[in-house]
Amino acid sequence: MFSLFGKKKEPLLDAEAERSIVACIKAAEARTSGEIRVFVEGRCKFVDPMDRAKEIFTSLGMEKTDERNATIIYVAMLDRQFALFGDTAIYEKAGGPPFWAAAAEHLVRHLQKNEVTEGLQHCINELGNALAANFPPNPHVNKNELPDEIVFGK
């Protein structure tokens, strides 16, 4: 990417981190009918990160999964903000607020040490474990309802 001033804009995640995170998503989803998406952008201006995560969740059509078991990890890298959001079924079955607060705390610990890739992988694995426990693979549901690639915002 290039800016108007000709300086190369640094990617929010390097190619190796991106490959590693996508591989982690694929491995987690192989154990469940649930879906995990990661959305990364630089800034989360004028909006609460959870509100932004919900907005992205809907804009990506994640509420349309057959079992309502999609989750999103939202990260605004430059603003150092994030949110975890799960659709209706997985939010409750994973354990409600205590589960989501614990998953967020684990991600915070990694992000505070600038371990973005490791933090995202840990969070993906945690969400994957909850999805696998509550939504085992279902041969009657499309095995992968949503793309596994990281979505990059502005």
Side-chain angles (χ1 to χ4, degrees):
M1 291 186 235
F2 291 91
S3 74
L4 293 174
F5 303 104
K7 292 182 181 178
K8 186 175 180 184
K9 185 176 177 182
E10 291 296 319
L12 296 172
L13 291 173
D14 65 32
E16 180 56 36
E18 189 174 346
R19 279 190 297 276
S20 174
I21 292 165
V22 170
C24 191
I25 292 169
K26 288 179 185 297
E29 287 185 0
R31 302 178 296 123
T32 178
S33 64
E35 297 290 332
I36 301 170
R37 305 268 346 239
V38 174
F39 187 99
V40 176
E41 64 185 350
R43 300 269 181 212
C44 181
K45 292 183 180 180
F46 311 114
V47 137
D48 177 77
M50 183 58 78
D51 291 339
R52 181 71 174 132
K54 291 175 187 176
E55 174 185 44
I56 293 163
F57 189 90
T58 303
S59 73
L60 294 175
M62 295 179 68
E63 79 286 359
K64 296 177 183 171
T65 59
D66 287 347
E67 297 182 69
R68 300 297 301 260
N69 58 359
T71 62
I72 190 164
I73 303 168
Y74 167 75
V75 181
M77 299 282 280
L78 301 175
D79 288 337
R80 302 176 62 86
Q81 296 181 328
F82 76 94
L84 306 177
F85 182 76
D87 206 342
T88 309
I90 186 56
Y91 180 83
E92 291 300 326
K93 288 185 177 184
F99 169 80
W100 297 93
E105 181 57 34
H106 297 149
L107 181 54
V108 164
R109 283 190 215 135
H110 284 285
L111 295 178
Q112 286 174 335
K113 295 187 274 186
N114 204 31
E115 298 172 347
V116 176
T117 302
E118 296 85 350
L120 288 172
Q121 289 172 325
H122 184 97
C123 192
I124 290 163
N125 286 328
E126 256 184 299
L127 295 176
N129 290 340
L131 286 165
N134 294 287
F135 298 95
N138 182 344
H140 303 295
V141 174
N142 179 352
K143 291 208 186 285
N144 199 6
E145 294 180 88
L146 300 170
D148 297 332
E149 294 80 23
I150 298 170
V151 181
F152 290 93
K154 45 190 156 125

